[in-house]
Amino acid sequence: MSDNGAVLVVDGRDGLGQVLTDRAVTHGVERARRHGISAVAVRNSGHFGTAAYFTRKAAEQGCVAILVTNASPAMAPWGGREKRVGTNPWSVAAPGGRYGTVVMDIANTTVARGKIYHAKERGQPIPEGWAADADGVPTTDPRRAIEGLILPMAGHKGYAISFMFDVLAGVLTGSAFGGAVVGPYQPAGKSGVGHLLICVDIRAMADPAEFEQRMEALVEGTKATPAAPGVSEVFVPGEPETTARLIEDDRIAAVTLTGSNRAGAAVGSAAGRAAKKSVLELGGSDAFVVLDDADIEAAAAAAVKARFTNSGQSCVCAKRFIVDASVADAFTSAFVAGVQALRAGDPRERDTQVGPLARDDLRAAIQRQVDESVAAGARLLTGGKPLPGAGYFYQPTVLADTGPGMPAFDEETFGPLAAVAVAHGDEEAVRLANAGAYGLGLSVWTADAGRGIALARRITSGAAFINAVVASDPRLPFGGTKRSGYGRELAAAGVREFTNTRTYWVGT
């Protein structure tokens, strides 16, 4: 509809709300990076489902995000008895440092409408205080509640918030508002839902590292609040309370997770509180170390495979290539040539070597890591842009002159991005390899296996491969150190993680 740089207005033409809002996040983050703050209005959309999914995506890309929407009438104006205002959900999300994304997602009613429908399907009553019938009389019958009213949270305050969100998501965006919005539980047709997304690039207001430190202090201070009687823990918005309840169940003896660091923190802390065993296999930023006596052609060929397997979307992919200065030019030249020869395309075709990324936000994250690293002094040797066409393709990319302080070196790069760093001798190679926050795998390339093993002993990782690409093998233990997790999977060690050694003493 209109594009004013920081402000974009889109007509969804009654399309899928999930798809439209996902695109809104992409545009909102990109514009926030250029202007510091952005607003994306979507009119004539369908309902988007869970608001937190979208604000979390923006927060994971360095923004504070606010998303509001409107919905079909569910509550009466304060003092009225006829539905005029929707539940009008909203979400706010921000990066929380080591605590992951702090995110709030709520409707402005006492309960989400879907829970009432769920109770109706199961033939169960709803709690008192959730709803009223068509005459405004409180009810616990979900059928009468659906025909009647859902009560606002916090009384008149919840109604007022919902009313103003109809202004933002309905009136301002040019969408339907009030009684004109069509609900998702009604016959298919034009819903006329509106959304408004606001993204603030943290860098426009604060140093991102300082912001995350302040967020961590806020979370820590909040969680340190003494718990009330009968409460086991104080939560901050967005913490997976369901996960904690599941792990605390007496039927659960131990838990293992392969996933993100945020998920790992939630599972690990819940298991610790419940005094139960846990194994975490999390992210990785594996170092691929090339010493001065290595077979350069063999190392470069292996480096291409180690980095770009599965389009770089694997925790055990090599991501940081630390090369001795005496062979750096030769290795880099051979490595870049191998990367440029890779064929990107349909993963169903046999000759395809690089497929698409799983999601658009992963591609956006790679682009951010490339842009910020180049701005910090890295050199782009090849790639560096999305590939056109259908699918979330990204050019196989190599950055040179990287090091600590650059996203491509410090963060997990979950995509086709390789970071090359030059080391002046074995000591600096060890220092650079240990400079990362992760410690999953390590690959060392040298003509002297003994030298490779000696160097590997000085680098913290869960596995060390000499003249070979890091891989998992069911015959061998697999797991990480540092932010890559703890415990071991596979082989006998993996079995023992979920057994208890029991002592028997039989007197005579």
Side-chain angles (χ1 to χ4, degrees):
M1 295 292 295
S2 66
D3 186 350
N4 297 315
V7 179
L8 176 67
V9 181
V10 178
D11 189 334
R13 298 179 180 178
D14 301 301
L16 290 172
Q18 294 88 342
V19 175
L20 293 168
T21 311
D22 192 68
R23 295 288 178 85
V25 171
T26 299
H27 287 294
V29 171
E30 188 272 331
R31 283 166 168 73
R33 287 184 182 141
R34 285 193 279 124
H35 302 286
I37 188 170
S38 69
V40 180
V42 181
R43 66 176 61 167
N44 299 324
S45 170
H47 296 267
F48 55 41
T50 304
Y53 173 81
F54 304 102
T55 55
R56 187 189 301 278
K57 287 184 67 173
E60 289 172 349
Q61 298 176 62
C63 290
V64 173
I66 305 169
L67 175 62
V68 301
T69 188
N70 62 0
S72 59
M75 73 169 86
W78 189 249
R81 63 173 187 174
E82 183 178 293
K83 290 186 285 190
R84 292 284 183 178
V85 185
T87 60
N88 298 357
W90 55 302
S91 177
V92 181
R98 65 176 178 274
Y99 293 101
T101 303
V102 177
V103 58
M104 177 207 72
D105 183 349
I106 61 173
N108 295 307
T109 44
T110 54
V111 66
R113 186 162 18 196
K115 290 188 176 181
I116 297 179
Y117 278 88
H118 184 60
K120 175 188 173 185
E121 291 171 359
R122 299 180 65 180
Q124 296 177 339
I126 60 175
E128 293 182 1
W130 275 17
D133 63 19
D135 295 321
V137 179
T139 182
T140 59
D141 184 339
R143 293 171 300 176
R144 299 184 69 184
I146 292 169
E147 296 169 355
L149 311 167
I150 306 178
L151 301 179
M153 68 171 186
H156 63 283
K157 296 179 182 179
Y159 153 67
I161 293 171
S162 216
F163 182 92
M164 295 309 298
F165 282 173
D166 222 359
V167 174
L168 295 176
V171 178
L172 181 62
T173 66
S175 300
F177 54 87
V181 182
V182 178
Y185 305 101
Q186 298 172 20
K190 294 184 177 182
S191 60
V193 173
H195 319 304
L196 180 64
L197 171 70
I198 298 172
C199 294
V200 179
D201 187 344
I202 292 169
R203 296 173 302 177
M205 294 189 177
D207 175 73
E210 181 182 355
F211 176 86
E212 290 196 355
Q213 290 174 359
R214 289 168 61 83
M215 284 294 295
E216 289 170 358
L218 174 61
V219 172
E220 289 167 0
T222 301
K223 293 187 70 63
T225 304
V231 177
S232 61
E233 180 184 2
V234 174
F235 288 96
V236 297
E239 280 197 274
E241 186 178 1
T242 301
T243 300
R245 291 201 304 266
L246 177 65
I247 293 172
E248 290 169 359
D249 191 291
D250 290 339
R251 293 169 292 181
I252 303 299
V255 58
T256 182
L257 171 80
T258 298
S260 68
N261 284 89
R262 179 180 183 275
V267 169
S269 60
R273 289 191 302 272
K276 295 180 180 180
K277 280 192 171 186
S278 60
V279 173
L280 303 180
E281 199 275 281
L282 309 177
S285 185
D286 290 3
F288 187 105
V289 180
V290 182
L291 301 183
D292 56 9
D293 62 348
D295 181 332
I296 298 304
E297 292 300 322
V304 175
K305 295 179 181 179
R307 182 65 197 103
F308 296 98
T309 295
N310 199 38
S311 304
Q313 300 171 105
S314 172
C315 56
V316 294
C317 278
K319 299 176 177 72
R320 299 176 297 137
F321 297 84
I322 300 167
V323 189
D324 190 88
S326 64
V327 296
D329 289 344
F331 171 85
T332 303
S333 177
F335 182 43
V336 170
V339 172
Q340 291 174 334
L342 292 172
R343 182 183 182 279
D346 190 331
R348 295 170 295 185
E349 297 179 5
R350 288 186 176 276
D351 56 349
T352 294
Q353 296 168 296
V354 178
L357 296 178
R359 303 190 309 271
D360 191 34
D361 61 303
L362 296 177
R363 183 169 63 173
I366 290 292
Q367 188 66 64
R368 175 189 63 80
Q369 291 167 329
V370 169
D371 293 344
E372 293 182 3
S373 297
V374 169
R379 286 188 298 121
L380 178 64
L381 300 183
T382 188
K385 293 182 179 179
L387 287 168
Y392 304 125
F393 286 89
Y394 196 86
Q395 294 174 338
T397 300
V398 180
L399 295 178
D401 298 339
T402 69
M406 297 183 183
F409 189 93
D410 293 341
E411 301 174 6
E412 181 178 27
T413 51
F414 209 70
L417 167 60
V420 179
V422 175
H424 296 83
D426 290 7
E427 289 296 324
E428 188 173 15
V430 170
R431 181 183 65 79
L432 289 172
N434 280 326
Y438 299 93
L440 188 56
L442 166 70
S443 183
V444 180
W445 293 76
T446 174
D448 183 346
R451 178 188 180 192
I453 293 172
L455 184 136
R457 290 183 184 279
R458 301 168 59 196
I459 299 171
T460 303
S461 68
F465 285 61
I466 312 301
N467 296 326
V469 173
V470 175
S472 61
D473 186 308
R475 299 168 296 179
L476 301 173
F478 178 80
T481 58
K482 300 162 74 172
R483 290 195 68 194
S484 292
Y486 55 77
R488 292 298 176 262
E489 301 172 338
L490 307 179
V495 174
R496 293 192 185 102
E497 289 284 1
F498 290 95
T499 60
N500 285 310
T501 301
R502 188 178 187 187
T503 301
Y504 286 85
W505 182 296
V506 180
T508 59

